[in-house]
Amino acid sequence: MNQHYFSGTGSLSRFILRRDRIRIPIWIFSFVFATVVIAVAFIGLYENAQERQAIAATMENPAMTAMVGPGYGLDNYTAGAMMAHQMLLMTAVVVGLMSVLLVIRHTRTDEEEGRIEMVRSLPVGRLSNVTATLTVLFLVNIVLAVLTGIGLYALNIESMDLEGSLLYGTALGATGMVFASATAVFAQLSHNARSAMGLSIGFLLAAYLVRAIGDVSSEAIAWLSPLGWIVRSEVYVNNVWWPVLLTVGAAIVLGGLAMYLNSIRDLGAGFLPARAGKVHASPLLLSPLGLALRLQRTGFIAWAIGMYVLGASYGSVMGDMESFFADVDLMQDLLVPMEGFSLAEQFVPTLMAVMTIIGTIPVLMAILKVKGEEKNGRIEHVLGRAVSRNRLLGSYLLISLIASFVMISLAGLGLGTVADATMEEGFDVAMALQAALAYLPAVWVMIGLTVLLIGWLPKFTGFIWLYLAFSFFVVYLGSLFQLPEWVEKITPFGYVSAIPIEQFDWTQAIGLTVVAVGLIVIGFAGYNKRDIGK
């Protein structure tokens, strides 16, 4: 390629670092800090080999394999093997999400908002922006890899040697690189930031689901996912480097493809054709609700399908999990069957909590769309008509509430219907749906908090994602770290009845609903008072 295509790449790289001088260090510090703290916590929780082997037995069941990946070194479950098995995959998924968000921000979003056109008017090359973005993301992931590896080794834990620690960090960095490059490709294929974001997150979820299916049923299928590659590095056990190097190689290839596509693409266009619109607009577009629904229709459908598939993937291993528990004597001591409930049913609350938090992502995206439209200067055009602020924000709120019911219901139905079809003794589909819907009030509180931020602190709406991440940490790792009950109660998900083990608590559900309504009312009041666009 002509070297002039890359003119100004260095300056643009420094500019990206300047723009994200706060965002990037927060991401890196959060990953390194969480990784080190969790490693230390594992040592405190399981002080001897006997305790570690006991937890290793619980990790071999198909449901846990689908969730965190296949276990290596389970016959000698050291602190290092435990850390890599239970945390590497989940951390890698979030690292991948970080890369997706940062790449979209500096490619399609900048292009859609006209900043790339302004940059192109300067003496910079055609490929400078995408090259600078990938350069910065690769650098960020390299720094993350090095700091994570050094941080783990500095703990001086016997089973966490230098090579394994560096491999752990490299696996995370490689994951970030491959999803950064994949996102850069999707940014060229799509014609707007919304579509690029949807394709990128969809690819991340698909990689997780394909890996889960492959880990449980077929090794060959697992190798179709980059997440399946990194978990086969067998960190702290055999320290296999080539799957991680394969991931880095794939990142470089995808990065090259993104540059090529960018070099032959017109600014503002995408390779995936935009479907021609109708000659006459639908009557729905005459209302704010219809317009908001039309803007989010594709993402809504994609997430709905993804949630059902996620539930179905866990439901498909419920029967195997039941037989696993029945065949392992140790499990009979660890998980004493409760009268009237199978061991598989006792595992439903854990699976449902994880799926609900994942399903909360599209719910919050639906309500935050109004903030995105405001940021892009399109809200004024709507409010300039005979449309009140209450009606406008209420339209996005209604879509978010509908999404909460649809996403959570489909996850529960996916789990219940597939489990019922695969288990010889059958499975209570209605119970699975009830266990899912029990989380609705908690999700409504998350919606209420988002509306509150939109109404009063629009510049800080991003903090809702940090709160959701904290909720996931408490739900997913709370029992593992034996967190005190008050920590669990900081998140609304800590007030949800664990159906079928517990009876549905109407008092807690009504309380959460009242809190959600209160937050929404306060948020609407703020939205009516503040200046739009500020």
Side-chain angles (χ1 to χ4, degrees), residues 176-480:
M177 290 180 185
V178 76
F179 283 104
S181 295
T183 303
V185 172
F186 291 130
Q188 312 311 314
L189 298 178
S190 306
H191 59 277
N192 58 46
R194 185 176 67 253
S195 298
M197 180 73 76
L199 288 174
S200 301
I201 294 180
F203 177 66
L204 178 61
L205 292 176
Y208 180 83
L209 290 175
V210 169
R211 190 268 332 146
I213 294 171
D215 286 344
V216 173
S217 60
S218 171
E219 183 83 4
I221 294 177
W223 279 102
L224 298 176
S225 166
L227 294 177
W229 303 348
I230 62 118
V231 296
R232 280 157 180 77
S233 56
E234 303 181 27
V235 179
Y236 292 126
V237 180
N238 296 316
N239 292 331
V240 182
W241 281 86
W242 70 263
V244 176
L245 297 179
L246 174 65
T247 308
V248 175
I252 295 173
V253 171
L254 288 172
L257 176 61
M259 292 180 189
Y260 171 73
L261 293 176
N262 186 256
S263 69
I264 60 175
R265 179 177 65 85
D266 291 334
L267 188 66
F271 286 97
L272 294 178
R275 191 176 64 178
K278 296 180 180 179
V279 176
H280 301 288
S282 167
L284 283 176
L285 293 180
L286 296 176
S287 67
L289 177 61
L291 176 61
L293 187 60
R294 177 63 183 85
L295 291 173
Q296 303 184 64
R297 181 180 62 185
T298 302
F300 187 99
I301 295 173
W303 271 101
I305 294 172
M307 291 307 300
Y308 182 84
V309 172
L310 180 63
S313 65
Y314 286 133
S316 66
V317 301
M318 292 296 283
D320 293 335
M321 183 177 65
E322 179 76 17
S323 61
F324 168 81
F325 285 140
D327 294 339
V328 179
D329 294 335
L330 178 61
M331 298 308 302
Q332 306 308 313
D333 299 327
L334 294 175
L335 291 177
V336 179
M338 298 179 63
E339 184 177 354
F341 302 105
S342 67
L343 291 170
E345 287 175 331
Q346 293 181 56
F347 206 71
V348 167
T350 300
L351 294 177
M352 204 59 66
V354 172
M355 289 192 295
T356 298
I357 292 180
I358 295 175
T360 305
I361 296 175
V363 173
L364 298 183
M365 290 173 64
I367 187 65
L368 285 171
K369 181 65 177 174
V370 69
K371 179 61 175 61
E373 293 295 294
E374 178 182 346
K375 180 181 177 182
N376 293 329
R378 292 189 283 263
I379 287 296
E380 290 90 341
H381 298 292
V382 178
L383 294 177
R385 275 64 177 174
V387 176
S388 68
R389 295 192 183 191
N390 284 337
R391 187 183 178 191
L392 175 65
L393 184 57
S395 299
Y396 287 89
L397 173 63
L398 179 59
I399 294 174
S400 183
L401 292 173
I402 294 173
S404 66
F405 176 79
V406 171
M407 302 302 168
I408 294 176
S409 298
L410 288 176
L413 287 173
L415 175 70
T417 54
V418 176
D420 183 54
T422 55
M423 296 177 67
E424 293 182 2
E425 65 277 16
F427 193 81
D428 190 345
V429 179
M431 179 275 292
L433 182 58
Q434 291 171 4
L437 294 179
Y439 280 89
L440 267 181
V443 178
W444 292 340
V445 171
M446 298 297 293
I447 295 174
L449 285 171
T450 307
V451 174
L452 180 69
L453 291 172
I454 291 173
W456 292 95
L457 299 169
K459 293 183 179 180
F460 297 95
T461 51
F463 281 100
I464 194 66
W465 298 116
L466 294 177
Y467 187 54
L468 184 64
F470 170 77
S471 300
F472 178 81
F473 175 82
V474 171
V475 170
Y476 180 65
L477 297 172
S479 59
L480 180 64

Side-chain angles (χ1 to χ4, degrees), residues 5-52:
Y5 279 13
F6 301 96
S7 299
T9 298
S11 298
L12 283 176
S13 298
R14 291 189 293 273
F15 180 60
I16 291 173
L17 290 171
R18 178 74 174 80
R19 289 177 62 190
D20 286 348
R21 64 189 181 279
I22 297 177
R23 182 179 279 104
I24 289 176
I26 289 177
W27 274 111
I28 294 176
F29 173 78
S30 299
F31 284 121
V32 176
F33 178 77
T35 300
V36 171
V37 168
I38 291 172
V40 172
F42 274 131
I43 298 299
L45 287 173
Y46 308 104
E47 298 178 351
N48 54 59
Q50 184 178 4
E51 293 180 358
R52 290 194 296 269

Side-chain angles (χ1 to χ4, degrees), residues 485-504:
E485 186 177 355
W486 66 267
V487 175
E488 182 182 353
K489 298 303 182 182
I490 295 178
T491 168
F493 297 98
Y495 296 88
V496 178
S497 304
I499 296 175
I501 308 305
E502 301 175 356
Q503 292 291 326
F504 184 74

